[in-house]
Each structure stands twice: as structure tokens, then as C-alpha cells.
Amino acid sequence: MTTIEHWIDGALTSAGSTRTAPVHDPATGRRQAEVLLAEPSDVDTAVAVAGKAFESWSNSSLTQRTRVLFAFRELLVRNEDELARLVSSEHGKVVDDARGEIVRGREVVEYACGIADALKGGFSDQVSRDVDVHSFRQPLGVVAGITPFNFPVMVPSWMHPIAIATGNTFVLKPSERDPSASNFVARLYAEAGLPDGVFNVVHGDKVAVDAILDHPGIAAVSFVGSTPIAKYVHERATAAGKRVQALGGAKNHAVVLPDADLEFAANHLTAAAFGSAGQRCMAISIGVAVGDAADGLVEVLERKAREVKVGPGADPASDMGPVVTQAARERVLAAVDSAAAQGATVVVDGRSLTVEGHEDGFFVGPSLLDKLTTEMDAYREEIFGPVLGIVRVDTVDEAIALINANPYGNGTAIFTGSGEAARRFQREVKVGMIGVNVPIPVPMSYYSFGGWKDSLIGDSPIHGPEGVRFYTRAKVVTTRWPHTEAGFNFPTSS
């Protein structure tokens, strides 16, 4: 049995870990490896190493840092296929989907390659007689990231490239469900010339998380995960005096107006709901059908949901792979059971799906639920699986009110041919990221990612300009250089 170790100070190590957790192949259900679970002493070791590395890395030139990041970016391109297959083997998503997350993560690396522009300070001349003022930003120190299973490459890449480019050192605690991608990335950083200790990986569970949140040597923590855990991370880490980025869960709606192209909308809703088996914080889990759009939309969605090919992630014919664990599968099944019991119409039922030759895999098929209401559990809860619910409303005003009443505010979309309706929608919905005829509006790396309400705890979005601000702090310097004259006369008291 392969044991997945930590990456500390430029090398694999078991450190002081004795506990392990299983790593499964979701397509077969079989245990394929075990991962070490860090003790607080292991976190201490990683932080001490990162703290030592910070002394020199923070004083490195911007040219040196960006040279490493350019090399790292090229290595991500060169090793994309191998990394995607590694992600697929532990997460379950299809290889093409894994490639997609690598590409989106690489975009943040590319933004970090141009970090010099984002770090330019300001200068004001002659603010008072012979007085000038200038500002610049400096790194914080050792920073940490705690990341979820659903994007083992992309989500950590929202954090570490910008943190490292701005002069910090980094400790990553990835999900123990699919840990190997983080070690792979660490090896690429080393090959790119990143000094030992600047990027470290500590695998673990809540023990490691709490050690990170409490550690006095860590200046800031970035987290992506469920809302209850985001609240916990934010409260505990801020109490320990740290900066915190804490991104929580979501219940994303896509509104379809009667003037929308239903084939176009259904194509995108199908991909947004069932891609990566629905295990995305930006997945569309609720379609809001307005007025006459409802019957036609459900008809097209039913056809497209039945066409989704479910199979192992490594099979090029698969559109959708398994969910990540048996517990995740059971949660999805329970959500569909609950919706049926509470009165929703199960148009497409994925509960009974089996994949030949992979009967023990964590597979569940796409499910389409019609006539969902806001009181039903399948509407209120974040299922995090391949379930698309349709809520029917009469007007766009009702659709906007529905979205605004939801406690989450991560992403939303509208499908329409009306510029007026789209403009009103984007101004009135209380959501952080909005798509117009775009179902998953994840912004490009030079914008920041972050929702509203229970989808973002605190006020620190991730990557882009907000990421630079988060990983640095400003200094403002006021200077005066008075004119002095050298004299040859004997000094006197005057």
C-alpha cells in the first residue's frame, strides 16, 4: 500500500505522523493508498521551515520570483496530462474536466507572473514644503491554505502563486481525500527553482487544521469549503490574530426567461449541473424557469440529462465520473429520496444507476427534479452532487426575489435575449458573481473570486487584486530632506 507523505523543506517526509487515512479510487471503490495525517508537531516543523525560508525569499527580487513562476507555469503545461490523470484517479472526475481545472489554476500563475505591476506603490511629491510621501507593500510572512477535495489543483492555485509571488512562504493543507496532486505541484515548484521551504504540503484532518488556525507563526489563512467550516475557520483564526479568507458553500441559481434559446440554455445548465458530478461550489443546482419557459425547458433538460454518459473518469467516453466517496453518494441518493417524498417530480432518476464492471464504484446518475419549492430539503441544502432542481415562477421579479431570499450568494446566471432584463438582473440580485448567458461565472484570474452572504465569511475575496492585498500589507513613508550647507567657520551657540 502506497503511503502519501508530507512535503516539507523540499522533500517528502513522514515527519512525526503515525495516523493515516484511506485514499480511494472512486471508480472502483477500492482503497488505492493511504495518506499520513499530521500531528501539531508536524505543522510546527513546516512552519519553522517556512519561517526560515521567508527570511531570504522575502528579500528576493521580483525578477527572481517571477522567473520561478514562469518556469513553474511551463512545467504545469508540460505535465498537464499526467497531473490530470492523477486528479481523476483520486477525485473521480473525468480527465478532460481535470485538465480544465489545471488550466484555470494556471491562469492565476500567469497573473502572478506579472505581479510586479500589481505591487507598484504610489508617490506624491511636495505634499508639504520639501515633504514627499510614498507607499509600498510588503509580504506578511508564513501563510497557509486549507483546501477542499473538489478542485485539488485549481483551488490551491487561487492561493499559493500570489502568496509566493508577493514574497510570502506557504503551507498547504489539502483535502485528505485526494492528496497526491499537491505533492505533484510541490515537485514542479522544486523543479522550477523555488527554494526549499517556500512551498510546503502538510496532509491531515481536523488536528492539522486546528494546529494551523492556532499557530502563532502563521500570519494568514485562506480557506475554501462548506459554510459551517468557513465560519469556524474565520472565528478561530481571527481570534488567533490572523488575516482570514474564508469562502463557504453555495446554492447557485440559473434563471431562464421565455425569450431564451432553450437548447442553448439547457446545454449549459446540463454541463453546469452535472459536470464534475455536481461537486463544484459554482455548480448550477437550481434552474429557475420563468413563465412559459418552464415546460419547454424541462423537456429539453430531460433529454440532455439522459444523454449524459456516466463512467470512470479515465474513460474518454465518459461525460461524468463518480462522486468522491460512498458517503457523498449516499447524500445524493438521500436528497433525491427527500425531494420525491416532499412532492417534487423526479423527471430523471439517477439513483439506480450502475456502471458495468464498476459496481462497487461511487456512481450516481444525473437527477432532474421538477416543481421544486423553497420549502423542500433539496432546495434548501447544498447537495454537492449531480442533482438539478427546477423551480417555476411567473416573472423575473419573482426570480430575483427568490435568489435574494436564499442565504447563499456565490454565483448566479440568467439566460435571455433581453439586454434590459439582463441589466436589471445583474444590478438587483444580491450575489457576488453573475453570468449573463454564462452558467458558471468564475472570473478570470485578474479579477477576484468571492460571493456574498453565507458564501463569503468576512470580507476577503480570493486571487486577483484582492489576493495581492490579502497577502501583503502597506507601508506609507513620509520624507523630508532639508537643505544643509557645510561651513568652515568655528561653530557657535547661534
Side-chain angles (χ1 to χ4, degrees), residues 177-195:
R177 297 177 190 173
D178 45 8
S180 294
S182 296
N183 284 9
F184 193 101
V185 166
R187 288 195 295 272
L188 295 186
Y189 262 131
E191 189 177 343
L194 189 69

Side-chain angles (χ1 to χ4, degrees), residues 47 235 380 447:
V47 174
E235 179 179 357
R380 293 185 297 106
Y447 285 83

Side-chain angles (χ1 to χ4, degrees), residues 50-61:
K52 181 65 176 175
F54 176 74
E55 295 174 12
S56 57
W57 184 247
S58 61
N59 285 312
S60 63
S61 68

Side-chain angles (χ1 to χ4, degrees), residues 284-413:
I284 293 296
S285 56
I286 298 295
V288 184
V290 178
D292 296 339
D295 289 340
L297 178 65
V298 171
E299 180 181 342
V300 182
L301 284 171
E302 177 182 4
R303 169 167 49 85
K304 294 187 180 300
R306 296 189 188 280
E307 291 172 353
V308 174
K309 170 69 173 174
V310 181
D315 184 348
S318 299
D319 299 314
M320 186 183 101
V323 292
V324 69
T325 62
Q326 180 61 24
R329 180 178 182 273
E330 291 171 358
R331 184 178 64 247
V332 174
L333 299 180
V336 180
D337 289 344
S338 153
Q342 293 174 356
T345 301
V346 182
V347 179
V348 178
D349 192 341
R351 288 174 290 182
S352 61
L353 178 134
T354 58
V355 176
E356 186 176 353
H358 295 78
E359 288 79 8
D360 294 328
F362 309 138
F363 289 97
V364 58
S367 290
L368 176 63
L369 311 175
D370 190 16
K371 299 177 182 174
L372 210 62
T373 68
T374 56
E375 294 78 24
M376 295 179 182
D377 293 338
Y379 176 83
R380 293 185 297 106
E381 297 172 0
E382 186 182 20
I383 299 169
F384 224 62
V387 180
L388 175 61
I390 302 299
V391 177
R392 296 176 178 232
V393 299
D394 293 328
T395 67
V396 69
D397 291 324
E398 287 182 56
I400 292 171
L402 180 80
I403 293 167
N404 289 347
N406 194 275
Y408 295 109
N410 212 38
T412 189

Side-chain angles (χ1 to χ4, degrees), residues 18 34 77 104 303 382:
T18 57
E34 62 182 14
V77 173
R104 293 308 306 267
R303 169 167 49 85
E382 186 182 20

